[in-house]
């Protein structure tokens, strides 16, 4: 995971350097670009350590590997995004379950993105918006994207291409007192499958009210695992 995060920062700074050359007639400086990217990566890594999420930030739950129900009276919103082969279109999905593991609501939308990270953040912002619209007082948002969760809960300056989405998330997090959780894909499988099916146009319109087999089977499995 650290390797992938480093690649993200290097790619971002290469893109910024390219824009400086193209639009501002700047001179390319590969050594400076790489140094800036690695410095930003080190700052990012030092600011938020996953194993200390819960201790340092009360709005982040511990890293978990399987879905578990929230406390009584709370709702859990799992988020995920799937990017198409063209790298520009994505589906952002949110599934909401109560403390009994019952699917109570959900959303899946198609959107244009510039990266998979942007898609993950759009899904998280979508979940925060649903919390506001539905008037939930106690809600937990989970995602299997470590970088997206870090950006949502930290005070670091986000990459420019996702900055607007990140600021929206942080504002809603503060206003609505939302808790965020970073989980493994195995604990986020329902949202992942919904996003994948939506991108392929295989998600029924009434999937929340009448869950198809690929959804009901995951709901049943998660219910058994939490017993």
């Amino acid at each position: 995971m650290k390797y992938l995060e480093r690649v993200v920062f290097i790619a971002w700074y290469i893109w910024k350097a390219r824009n400086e050359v193209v639009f501002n007639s700047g001179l390319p400086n590969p050594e400076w670009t790489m140094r800036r990217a690695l410095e930003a990566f080190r700052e990012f890594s030092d600011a938020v350590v996953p194993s200390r999420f819960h201790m340092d930030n009360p709005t982040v739950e511990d890293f978990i590997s399987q879905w578990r129900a929230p406390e009584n009276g709370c709702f859990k919103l799992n988020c995920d995004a799937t990017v198409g082969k063209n790298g520009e279109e994505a589906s952002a999905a949110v599934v909401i379950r109560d403390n009994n593991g019952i699917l109570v609501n959900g959303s899946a939308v198609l959107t244009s993105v510039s990266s998979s990270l942007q898609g993950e953040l759009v899904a998280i912002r979508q979940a925060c918006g649903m919390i506001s619209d539905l008037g939930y007082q106690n809600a937990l948002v989970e995602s299997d994207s470590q970088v997206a969760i870090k950006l949502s809960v930290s005070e670091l300056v986000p990459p420019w291409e996702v900055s607007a989405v990140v600021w929206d998330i942080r504002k809603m997090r503060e206003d609505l007192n939302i808790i965020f959780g970073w989980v493994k894909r195995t604990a986020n499988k329902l949202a992942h499958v919904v996003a994948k099916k939506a991108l392929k146009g295989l998600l029924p319109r009434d999937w929340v009210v009448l869950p198809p087999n690929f959804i009901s089977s995951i709901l049943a499995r998660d219910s058994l695992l939490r017993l």
Side-chain angles (χ1 to χ4, degrees):
M1 185 62 72
K2 288 294 183 184
Y3 172 78
L4 293 178
E5 291 178 9
R6 187 180 295 110
V7 170
V8 169
F9 273 89
I10 292 174
W12 174 42
Y13 273 87
I14 290 176
W15 177 254
K16 289 182 63 177
R18 176 261 183 195
N19 287 342
E20 181 66 21
V21 172
V22 172
F23 298 108
N24 297 323
S25 300
L27 296 176
N29 189 332
E31 182 179 353
W32 180 87
T33 299
M34 182 63 70
R35 185 169 63 250
R36 288 280 293 157
L38 294 178
E39 288 176 355
F41 169 74
R42 282 193 292 270
E43 179 184 2
F44 181 79
S45 298
D46 293 342
V48 183
V49 181
S51 62
R52 297 174 60 199
F53 267 177
H54 186 69
M55 179 176 63
D56 288 349
N57 195 322
T59 63
V60 182
E61 281 210 332
D62 295 324
F63 179 76
I64 58 177
S65 60
Q66 69 181 42
W67 189 89
R68 64 186 184 195
E71 298 178 355
N72 290 341
C74 296
F75 293 92
K76 176 173 285 189
L77 296 86
N78 287 89
C79 313
D80 202 7
T82 298
V83 180
K85 293 182 179 179
N86 61 7
E88 297 178 353
E89 185 180 44
S91 60
V94 179
V95 292
I96 306 177
R97 282 179 276 187
D98 63 14
N99 58 282
N100 293 312
I102 297 175
L103 179 65
V104 296
N105 212 326
S107 173
V109 299
L110 297 180
T111 182
S112 297
V113 298
S114 59
S115 65
S116 58
L117 174 59
Q118 188 177 56
E120 299 288 354
L121 287 165
V122 167
I124 293 175
R125 180 175 63 180
Q126 186 175 323
C128 294
M130 293 181 72
I131 291 173
S132 177
D133 293 341
L134 295 170
Y136 291 159
Q137 299 299 314
N138 298 297
L140 165 64
V141 173
E142 288 185 343
S143 169
D144 56 35
S145 172
Q146 178 186 3
V147 177
I149 289 295
K150 283 183 177 181
L151 287 172
S152 298
V153 302
S154 73
E155 296 182 356
L156 296 174
V157 177
W160 66 268
E161 67 271 19
V162 298
S163 60
V165 183
V166 171
W167 296 129
D168 285 347
I169 293 171
R170 292 178 182 177
K171 181 64 165 59
M172 287 188 282
R173 169 193 164 214
E174 181 180 353
D175 292 344
L176 302 171
N177 195 30
I178 301 172
I179 298 174
F180 288 80
W182 167 45
V183 295
K184 285 185 177 180
R185 174 63 58 80
T186 51
N188 204 45
K189 187 173 182 180
L190 182 56
H192 174 70
V193 170
V194 170
K196 189 174 181 179
K197 293 290 186 179
L199 185 63
K200 295 180 178 181
L202 300 176
L203 187 67
R205 292 181 179 273
D206 58 353
W207 63 274
V208 174
V209 179
L210 296 173
N213 289 336
F214 62 81
I215 289 180
S216 58
S217 61
I218 297 174
L219 291 171
R221 185 207 65 170
D222 287 347
S223 294
L224 289 175
L225 288 176
R226 71 185 183 86
L227 295 178

